Amino acid sequence: MQNKFLDRYGRAVLKGFTSTRSIKSNANSELLEYSSRSKNSLMKKFYQDIEDFETGKFLYPEKPVVGYFCSLVPEELILACNLHPVRLCCEENLWTQAGEEIIPGDVCPVVKSICGKFYNQMYDRFDLVVVPGSCDPKTKLAELLSPLKEVYFLDPGRDCDYLKNADIWGEKYTKFFDFLKERFHCSSGRKHLLSACKKTNARTEIFRKIYQFRTRNPEAINSFDYYIMIYASFFMDIEIWNNLAENVYREALETREICKNPKILLAGTPVIFPNFKIIDVIEQAGLSLAADIQCTTFGRFYNPVEIDEDTESGIIRALSLKDIAGSICPCLLNLEKLVNLIVDAVSQHNLDGVIYYNLRLCQVFDIQTAVIRQALKEKDIPFISIKTDLGNQDTGQLKTRLEAFREMIESRRN
Amino acid sequence: MKKITMTRRIVQVFCLILLVYGGYIFKEWKQSPETEQSLFPALKAPAGSISITKLEKGSILWPSGATPVIENYPPSLVCRFNPKGGMFKACILHFFSENLTWQTQLKYLLPYITLFILLCFLLGRMWCGWVCPIGTTGDFLTFLRRKMNIPVKRFPHNFRINLSFTGYGLMAIALTISTIIGMPNFARYQCYWFLPYCQICPARLICPLFGLIRPNWKDFSTSITTTFTLLAWIVLGLFIAAFYFGRRVWCHMCPVGLINSWFNKGAGVELHKKPIKCIKCGYCADACPMGLTKMYEMDKDGIYNQNSCIMCLRCVEVCPRKGCLSVKFFGKGIRIKDFFRRKNAE
């Protein structure tokens, strides 16, 4: 007689959970609001695509779709196997509430909302989900999702020292690549990897242009448009995105608006659609978000893949350097790197202050706050840390704090 | 391919052609009577000593080249055994070995040595990375390996350090033997032990091939020549393996490169690092063909010219952060990176 707790392979059965709530995302109304503020006519396509993605109407290319989290998962390997990579990071309050049923308690809201989305059949189209072991909630997420989807767990380790770990990363990425090739029956090699890297390098180039342009003129592509473009890159086909972003950049080049607001740098937790509360508050407080150091934007796009050895293992090694060694994820050992990056960006782009955004319950970001505050105090750079959750209750209070911050910056100027 | 590497490849091929075949072009110029008096007169072997051109045909060192166009010794591995159109006389180790045996007076050597040191201080080991014909040949082997999709072999740090000791050891032995056979009592050994390093140097076997001349690759007439022949084969095998499986591992033990490396730290070409820009991505350390990691490790502002660095500037090229690594020439920025970077990329 078959044991009801075991499956036919003798493994314990993880049944998973079913959510009882029916969720209706209010992403559409938010999209409308943001797109009305856009100064760029070409942004419409991005807004349209995001609306389709949020409502499940998005047309994926005719190939298997692989979902992944974090910048630590090498997108190029997925692309090289002729698969469609989709980054699934999600910060929506409604889905967090749905996820609350599955994982109640003081857990990272990002993981909650991801769980909420998965258990409400939002991601049925996906063939595989790649979860990196970057932080503790993500590690457990791999187990929570495994009853629903096939999950590949990719653990790069927490030490991003090149000398000690470069070989280990290469091995781990190679195993992942081998798994992909076997799972999807493709025989990808050096050529496919090279062409995938070419695509992402083109994206890096465009991103750098936009990033650099925004540090001079943050109003021409406003921060909503910027983050919408970033979010669209999560799921759009990379070449289409490159074309559109290039056009948006060209159009923005023609506008000649001079930014009078104090320019600030946003560091900390990634800002992902539709959680644009922090950007909204920054804008309302009369500050301009001119640069950012976050894993969805800077950390993901800024470094190109530098292929030195164009053999298969050489390319995979180059990818691991880009994704892990160059990573700014707070879960890895890189606090010094982050402080250097912030100080350098502030001095290079003549920024007026730094806002450190901290999503409640993400402890790794929280722990870093004190060190960054101390380092920036020594350099005499205005700094404010903001800790908030996905809800909208504290908007007024945040606005008051940021207005005070702006006044402080302006008084320093005079 | 990025711009610095592309420029480097073009310079390498140009230098290879110039150093190996340049003599054919300049021969006319040399033969005209007005310019017969060259800047430095050729050093001649004293009576009774062995000179390479006087060697019997059939000797292991029998030169396939005729007299060179320019009697000088640049800081790269230009070879005595080039085809007939060889541009320069030989490498600096050849120069020392030969003149120790001949016991040439120092005053005749000084102009050569001064020019050599000047060239070294000007470019440091850039001669190895950009000019050396043997390095270019080796880079071609590396290129072949990459096309064949064979992964690079990364040698551990200690191994590479010990390679340079091997190089110094070989150099010391070669110079000692050259000095000893120059003494009157030992002059009869000159026909076997003349230019001992050249006898095992892979350049002696490779360079004649550029002129489609068969190198004198075997000589089993006596026990000494047999030993040298076998040693030369082993060293050639190691040379090919080093360039094929590693990248520039050979350059850690090349004696000419080692002599150049003494001048690297004060050379005109300087590699600067600004650690505040560094994000410790490891690109520079990973791309270094010599396997050096100092650029990656350092976290203080400054010039980081290392003895083993061949100044290929690959680290400067791959660094994703503008202004983190830079090249300067006598403290003046040449801003190679900005000059070559794709427009607006950063």
Side-chain angles (χ1 to χ4, degrees), chain B residues 67-93:
Chain B
T67 34
V69 173
I70 300 168
E71 294 275 349
N72 215 320
Y73 306 87
S76 81
L77 213 82
V78 297
C79 197
R80 186 71 180 74
F81 303 95
N82 272 335
K84 285 180 179 147
M87 177 111 167
F88 286 98
K89 178 84 181 274
C91 69
I92 195 73
L93 196 71

PDB file of all heavy atoms in Angstrom, chain B residues 67-93:
ATOM      1  N   THR B  67      74.761  39.291 -41.946  1.00  0.00           N
ATOM      2  CA  THR B  67      74.979  40.407 -41.026  1.00  0.00           C
ATOM      3  C   THR B  67      73.736  41.273 -40.960  1.00  0.00           C
ATOM      4  O   THR B  67      73.103  41.544 -41.985  1.00  0.00           O
ATOM      5  CB  THR B  67      76.167  41.277 -41.491  1.00  0.00           C
ATOM      6  OG1 THR B  67      76.175  41.283 -42.907  1.00  0.00           O
ATOM      7  CG2 THR B  67      77.468  40.793 -40.916  1.00  0.00           C
ATOM      8  N   PRO B  68      73.391  41.715 -39.783  1.00  0.00           N
ATOM      9  CA  PRO B  68      72.167  42.503 -39.629  1.00  0.00           C
ATOM     10  C   PRO B  68      72.360  43.915 -40.147  1.00  0.00           C
ATOM     11  O   PRO B  68      73.479  44.367 -40.369  1.00  0.00           O
ATOM     12  CB  PRO B  68      71.956  42.522 -38.124  1.00  0.00           C
ATOM     13  CG  PRO B  68      73.322  42.383 -37.565  1.00  0.00           C
ATOM     14  CD  PRO B  68      74.085  41.522 -38.512  1.00  0.00           C
ATOM     15  N   VAL B  69      71.243  44.599 -40.357  1.00  0.00           N
ATOM     16  CA  VAL B  69      71.298  45.956 -40.876  1.00  0.00           C
ATOM     17  C   VAL B  69      71.760  46.925 -39.798  1.00  0.00           C
ATOM     18  O   VAL B  69      72.627  47.754 -40.009  1.00  0.00           O
ATOM     19  CB  VAL B  69      69.916  46.361 -41.419  1.00  0.00           C
ATOM     20  CG1 VAL B  69      69.916  47.826 -41.791  1.00  0.00           C
ATOM     21  CG2 VAL B  69      69.565  45.515 -42.602  1.00  0.00           C
ATOM     22  N   ILE B  70      71.164  46.805 -38.615  1.00  0.00           N
ATOM     23  CA  ILE B  70      71.503  47.731 -37.537  1.00  0.00           C
ATOM     24  C   ILE B  70      72.194  46.965 -36.423  1.00  0.00           C
ATOM     25  O   ILE B  70      71.632  46.003 -35.885  1.00  0.00           O
ATOM     26  CB  ILE B  70      70.238  48.438 -37.017  1.00  0.00           C
ATOM     27  CG1 ILE B  70      69.594  49.225 -38.160  1.00  0.00           C
ATOM     28  CG2 ILE B  70      70.589  49.380 -35.880  1.00  0.00           C
ATOM     29  CD1 ILE B  70      68.223  49.721 -37.854  1.00  0.00           C
ATOM     30  N   GLU B  71      73.402  47.392 -36.103  1.00  0.00           N
ATOM     31  CA  GLU B  71      74.171  46.683 -35.076  1.00  0.00           C
ATOM     32  C   GLU B  71      73.692  47.136 -33.710  1.00  0.00           C
ATOM     33  O   GLU B  71      74.328  47.966 -33.068  1.00  0.00           O
ATOM     34  CB  GLU B  71      75.651  47.003 -35.234  1.00  0.00           C
ATOM     35  CG  GLU B  71      76.258  46.479 -36.499  1.00  0.00           C
ATOM     36  CD  GLU B  71      76.700  45.036 -36.376  1.00  0.00           C
ATOM     37  OE1 GLU B  71      76.725  44.511 -35.235  1.00  0.00           O
ATOM     38  OE2 GLU B  71      77.027  44.427 -37.394  1.00  0.00           O
ATOM     39  N   ASN B  72      72.548  46.651 -33.288  1.00  0.00           N
ATOM     40  CA  ASN B  72      72.113  47.054 -31.955  1.00  0.00           C
ATOM     41  C   ASN B  72      71.293  45.968 -31.291  1.00  0.00           C
ATOM     42  O   ASN B  72      70.940  44.977 -31.912  1.00  0.00           O
ATOM     43  CB  ASN B  72      71.327  48.362 -32.028  1.00  0.00           C
ATOM     44  CG  ASN B  72      71.611  49.178 -30.790  1.00  0.00           C
ATOM     45  OD1 ASN B  72      71.689  48.626 -29.703  1.00  0.00           O
ATOM     46  ND2 ASN B  72      71.793  50.459 -30.958  1.00  0.00           N
ATOM     47  N   TYR B  73      71.023  46.215 -30.011  1.00  0.00           N
ATOM     48  CA  TYR B  73      70.396  45.185 -29.181  1.00  0.00           C
ATOM     49  C   TYR B  73      69.184  45.777 -28.477  1.00  0.00           C
ATOM     50  O   TYR B  73      69.297  46.283 -27.367  1.00  0.00           O
ATOM     51  CB  TYR B  73      71.399  44.659 -28.148  1.00  0.00           C
ATOM     52  CG  TYR B  73      72.680  44.175 -28.775  1.00  0.00           C
ATOM     53  CD1 TYR B  73      73.734  45.044 -29.029  1.00  0.00           C
ATOM     54  CD2 TYR B  73      72.832  42.835 -29.127  1.00  0.00           C
ATOM     55  CE1 TYR B  73      74.898  44.600 -29.614  1.00  0.00           C
ATOM     56  CE2 TYR B  73      73.993  42.385 -29.711  1.00  0.00           C
ATOM     57  CZ  TYR B  73      75.030  43.275 -29.956  1.00  0.00           C
ATOM     58  OH  TYR B  73      76.175  42.827 -30.531  1.00  0.00           O
ATOM     59  N   PRO B  74      68.020  45.793 -29.092  1.00  0.00           N
ATOM     60  CA  PRO B  74      66.841  46.372 -28.441  1.00  0.00           C
ATOM     61  C   PRO B  74      66.331  45.450 -27.326  1.00  0.00           C
ATOM     62  O   PRO B  74      66.688  44.265 -27.300  1.00  0.00           O
ATOM     63  CB  PRO B  74      65.823  46.456 -29.580  1.00  0.00           C
ATOM     64  CG  PRO B  74      66.213  45.363 -30.492  1.00  0.00           C
ATOM     65  CD  PRO B  74      67.696  45.217 -30.390  1.00  0.00           C
ATOM     66  N   PRO B  75      65.546  45.991 -26.400  1.00  0.00           N
ATOM     67  CA  PRO B  75      65.098  45.182 -25.264  1.00  0.00           C
ATOM     68  C   PRO B  75      63.978  44.214 -25.614  1.00  0.00           C
ATOM     69  O   PRO B  75      63.040  44.074 -24.862  1.00  0.00           O
ATOM     70  CB  PRO B  75      64.616  46.214 -24.248  1.00  0.00           C
ATOM     71  CG  PRO B  75      64.845  47.534 -24.850  1.00  0.00           C
ATOM     72  CD  PRO B  75      65.090  47.366 -26.282  1.00  0.00           C
ATOM     73  N   SER B  76      64.028  43.583 -26.739  1.00  0.00           N
ATOM     74  CA  SER B  76      63.052  42.522 -26.992  1.00  0.00           C
ATOM     75  C   SER B  76      63.796  41.379 -27.653  1.00  0.00           C
ATOM     76  O   SER B  76      64.959  41.515 -28.004  1.00  0.00           O
ATOM     77  CB  SER B  76      61.925  43.018 -27.892  1.00  0.00           C
ATOM     78  OG  SER B  76      62.336  42.986 -29.224  1.00  0.00           O
ATOM     79  N   LEU B  77      63.109  40.274 -27.796  1.00  0.00           N
ATOM     80  CA  LEU B  77      63.805  39.073 -28.231  1.00  0.00           C
ATOM     81  C   LEU B  77      63.966  39.059 -29.751  1.00  0.00           C
ATOM     82  O   LEU B  77      63.394  38.221 -30.424  1.00  0.00           O
ATOM     83  CB  LEU B  77      63.057  37.839 -27.746  1.00  0.00           C
ATOM     84  CG  LEU B  77      63.949  36.654 -27.406  1.00  0.00           C
ATOM     85  CD1 LEU B  77      64.522  36.811 -26.018  1.00  0.00           C
ATOM     86  CD2 LEU B  77      63.166  35.378 -27.498  1.00  0.00           C
ATOM     87  N   VAL B  78      64.737  40.016 -30.285  1.00  0.00           N
ATOM     88  CA  VAL B  78      65.058  39.906 -31.704  1.00  0.00           C
ATOM     89  C   VAL B  78      66.239  38.953 -31.796  1.00  0.00           C
ATOM     90  O   VAL B  78      67.106  38.957 -30.955  1.00  0.00           O
ATOM     91  CB  VAL B  78      65.417  41.269 -32.322  1.00  0.00           C
ATOM     92  CG1 VAL B  78      64.259  42.202 -32.252  1.00  0.00           C
ATOM     93  CG2 VAL B  78      66.613  41.877 -31.628  1.00  0.00           C
ATOM     94  N   CYS B  79      66.251  38.153 -32.840  1.00  0.00           N
ATOM     95  CA  CYS B  79      67.150  37.007 -32.760  1.00  0.00           C
ATOM     96  C   CYS B  79      68.270  37.082 -33.795  1.00  0.00           C
ATOM     97  O   CYS B  79      68.097  37.574 -34.904  1.00  0.00           O
ATOM     98  CB  CYS B  79      66.347  35.723 -32.934  1.00  0.00           C
ATOM     99  SG  CYS B  79      67.249  34.314 -32.375  1.00  0.00           S
ATOM    100  N   ARG B  80      69.405  36.566 -33.408  1.00  0.00           N
ATOM    101  CA  ARG B  80      70.541  36.432 -34.301  1.00  0.00           C
ATOM    102  C   ARG B  80      70.204  35.485 -35.453  1.00  0.00           C
ATOM    103  O   ARG B  80      70.823  35.528 -36.505  1.00  0.00           O
ATOM    104  CB  ARG B  80      71.699  35.878 -33.476  1.00  0.00           C
ATOM    105  CG  ARG B  80      73.007  35.784 -34.182  1.00  0.00           C
ATOM    106  CD  ARG B  80      73.555  37.193 -34.381  1.00  0.00           C
ATOM    107  NE  ARG B  80      74.836  37.191 -35.063  1.00  0.00           N
ATOM    108  CZ  ARG B  80      75.008  36.943 -36.358  1.00  0.00           C
ATOM    109  NH1 ARG B  80      73.985  36.646 -37.106  1.00  0.00           N
ATOM    110  NH2 ARG B  80      76.204  36.997 -36.904  1.00  0.00           N
ATOM    111  N   PHE B  81      69.243  34.627 -35.210  1.00  0.00           N
ATOM    112  CA  PHE B  81      68.963  33.540 -36.152  1.00  0.00           C
ATOM    113  C   PHE B  81      67.748  33.823 -37.022  1.00  0.00           C
ATOM    114  O   PHE B  81      67.113  32.925 -37.552  1.00  0.00           O
ATOM    115  CB  PHE B  81      68.791  32.221 -35.390  1.00  0.00           C
ATOM    116  CG  PHE B  81      70.004  31.912 -34.571  1.00  0.00           C
ATOM    117  CD1 PHE B  81      70.070  32.270 -33.237  1.00  0.00           C
ATOM    118  CD2 PHE B  81      71.106  31.317 -35.153  1.00  0.00           C
ATOM    119  CE1 PHE B  81      71.205  32.023 -32.506  1.00  0.00           C
ATOM    120  CE2 PHE B  81      72.247  31.074 -34.413  1.00  0.00           C
ATOM    121  CZ  PHE B  81      72.305  31.435 -33.080  1.00  0.00           C
ATOM    122  N   ASN B  82      67.415  35.125 -37.118  1.00  0.00           N
ATOM    123  CA  ASN B  82      66.356  35.531 -38.024  1.00  0.00           C
ATOM    124  C   ASN B  82      66.746  35.197 -39.456  1.00  0.00           C
ATOM    125  O   ASN B  82      67.895  34.909 -39.733  1.00  0.00           O
ATOM    126  CB  ASN B  82      66.169  37.045 -37.928  1.00  0.00           C
ATOM    127  CG  ASN B  82      65.191  37.419 -36.847  1.00  0.00           C
ATOM    128  OD1 ASN B  82      64.337  36.624 -36.480  1.00  0.00           O
ATOM    129  ND2 ASN B  82      65.345  38.598 -36.299  1.00  0.00           N
ATOM    130  N   PRO B  83      65.811  35.266 -40.393  1.00  0.00           N
ATOM    131  CA  PRO B  83      66.208  35.140 -41.803  1.00  0.00           C
ATOM    132  C   PRO B  83      67.132  36.284 -42.202  1.00  0.00           C
ATOM    133  O   PRO B  83      67.381  37.203 -41.430  1.00  0.00           O
ATOM    134  CB  PRO B  83      64.884  35.217 -42.547  1.00  0.00           C
ATOM    135  CG  PRO B  83      63.900  35.750 -41.592  1.00  0.00           C
ATOM    136  CD  PRO B  83      64.363  35.328 -40.265  1.00  0.00           C
ATOM    137  N   LYS B  84      67.567  36.246 -43.414  1.00  0.00           N
ATOM    138  CA  LYS B  84      68.640  37.155 -43.823  1.00  0.00           C
ATOM    139  C   LYS B  84      68.299  38.627 -43.670  1.00  0.00           C
ATOM    140  O   LYS B  84      69.180  39.468 -43.586  1.00  0.00           O
ATOM    141  CB  LYS B  84      69.009  36.866 -45.284  1.00  0.00           C
ATOM    142  CG  LYS B  84      69.807  35.595 -45.370  1.00  0.00           C
ATOM    143  CD  LYS B  84      70.179  35.279 -46.793  1.00  0.00           C
ATOM    144  CE  LYS B  84      70.997  33.993 -46.806  1.00  0.00           C
ATOM    145  NZ  LYS B  84      70.789  33.203 -47.994  1.00  0.00           N
ATOM    146  N   GLY B  85      67.028  38.929 -43.658  1.00  0.00           N
ATOM    147  CA  GLY B  85      66.652  40.330 -43.557  1.00  0.00           C
ATOM    148  C   GLY B  85      66.493  40.815 -42.135  1.00  0.00           C
ATOM    149  O   GLY B  85      65.800  41.792 -41.898  1.00  0.00           O
ATOM    150  N   GLY B  86      67.081  40.141 -41.167  1.00  0.00           N
ATOM    151  CA  GLY B  86      66.956  40.557 -39.769  1.00  0.00           C
ATOM    152  C   GLY B  86      67.398  41.995 -39.592  1.00  0.00           C
ATOM    153  O   GLY B  86      68.373  42.449 -40.179  1.00  0.00           O
ATOM    154  N   MET B  87      66.650  42.712 -38.798  1.00  0.00           N
ATOM    155  CA  MET B  87      66.871  44.146 -38.721  1.00  0.00           C
ATOM    156  C   MET B  87      67.954  44.483 -37.700  1.00  0.00           C
ATOM    157  O   MET B  87      68.883  45.229 -37.961  1.00  0.00           O
ATOM    158  CB  MET B  87      65.554  44.785 -38.329  1.00  0.00           C
ATOM    159  CG  MET B  87      65.633  46.237 -38.142  1.00  0.00           C
ATOM    160  SD  MET B  87      64.736  47.034 -39.418  1.00  0.00           S
ATOM    161  CE  MET B  87      64.674  48.658 -38.755  1.00  0.00           C
ATOM    162  N   PHE B  88      67.838  43.917 -36.510  1.00  0.00           N
ATOM    163  CA  PHE B  88      68.789  44.216 -35.450  1.00  0.00           C
ATOM    164  C   PHE B  88      69.749  43.048 -35.276  1.00  0.00           C
ATOM    165  O   PHE B  88      69.506  41.954 -35.775  1.00  0.00           O
ATOM    166  CB  PHE B  88      68.038  44.468 -34.138  1.00  0.00           C
ATOM    167  CG  PHE B  88      67.335  45.793 -34.115  1.00  0.00           C
ATOM    168  CD1 PHE B  88      65.981  45.872 -34.401  1.00  0.00           C
ATOM    169  CD2 PHE B  88      68.028  46.949 -33.815  1.00  0.00           C
ATOM    170  CE1 PHE B  88      65.336  47.090 -34.381  1.00  0.00           C
ATOM    171  CE2 PHE B  88      67.388  48.166 -33.789  1.00  0.00           C
ATOM    172  CZ  PHE B  88      66.042  48.237 -34.076  1.00  0.00           C
ATOM    173  N   LYS B  89      70.774  43.307 -34.504  1.00  0.00           N
ATOM    174  CA  LYS B  89      71.786  42.275 -34.313  1.00  0.00           C
ATOM    175  C   LYS B  89      71.219  41.089 -33.517  1.00  0.00           C
ATOM    176  O   LYS B  89      71.100  39.996 -34.039  1.00  0.00           O
ATOM    177  CB  LYS B  89      72.992  42.876 -33.601  1.00  0.00           C
ATOM    178  CG  LYS B  89      74.124  41.908 -33.290  1.00  0.00           C
ATOM    179  CD  LYS B  89      75.048  41.747 -34.475  1.00  0.00           C
ATOM    180  CE  LYS B  89      76.164  40.773 -34.185  1.00  0.00           C
ATOM    181  NZ  LYS B  89      77.323  41.354 -33.547  1.00  0.00           N
ATOM    182  N   ALA B  90      70.882  41.333 -32.260  1.00  0.00           N
ATOM    183  CA  ALA B  90      70.428  40.210 -31.430  1.00  0.00           C
ATOM    184  C   ALA B  90      69.810  40.752 -30.159  1.00  0.00           C
ATOM    185  O   ALA B  90      69.647  41.946 -29.989  1.00  0.00           O
ATOM    186  CB  ALA B  90      71.604  39.312 -31.091  1.00  0.00           C
ATOM    187  N   CYS B  91      69.478  39.814 -29.251  1.00  0.00           N
ATOM    188  CA  CYS B  91      68.926  40.241 -27.973  1.00  0.00           C
ATOM    189  C   CYS B  91      70.057  40.588 -27.006  1.00  0.00           C
ATOM    190  O   CYS B  91      71.218  40.324 -27.267  1.00  0.00           O
ATOM    191  CB  CYS B  91      68.029  39.162 -27.387  1.00  0.00           C
ATOM    192  SG  CYS B  91      68.918  37.705 -26.863  1.00  0.00           S
ATOM    193  N   ILE B  92      69.691  41.155 -25.869  1.00  0.00           N
ATOM    194  CA  ILE B  92      70.697  41.658 -24.934  1.00  0.00           C
ATOM    195  C   ILE B  92      71.474  40.516 -24.281  1.00  0.00           C
ATOM    196  O   ILE B  92      72.647  40.668 -23.928  1.00  0.00           O
ATOM    197  CB  ILE B  92      70.041  42.581 -23.882  1.00  0.00           C
ATOM    198  CG1 ILE B  92      71.091  43.410 -23.143  1.00  0.00           C
ATOM    199  CG2 ILE B  92      69.204  41.793 -22.905  1.00  0.00           C
ATOM    200  CD1 ILE B  92      71.683  44.524 -23.971  1.00  0.00           C
ATOM    201  N   LEU B  93      70.861  39.365 -24.145  1.00  0.00           N
ATOM    202  CA  LEU B  93      71.570  38.251 -23.515  1.00  0.00           C
ATOM    203  C   LEU B  93      72.672  37.740 -24.442  1.00  0.00           C
ATOM    204  O   LEU B  93      73.769  37.392 -24.008  1.00  0.00           O
ATOM    205  CB  LEU B  93      70.600  37.126 -23.166  1.00  0.00           C
ATOM    206  CG  LEU B  93      71.178  36.113 -22.181  1.00  0.00           C
ATOM    207  CD1 LEU B  93      71.301  36.726 -20.806  1.00  0.00           C
ATOM    208  CD2 LEU B  93      70.343  34.864 -22.115  1.00  0.00           C
TER     209      LEU B  93
END
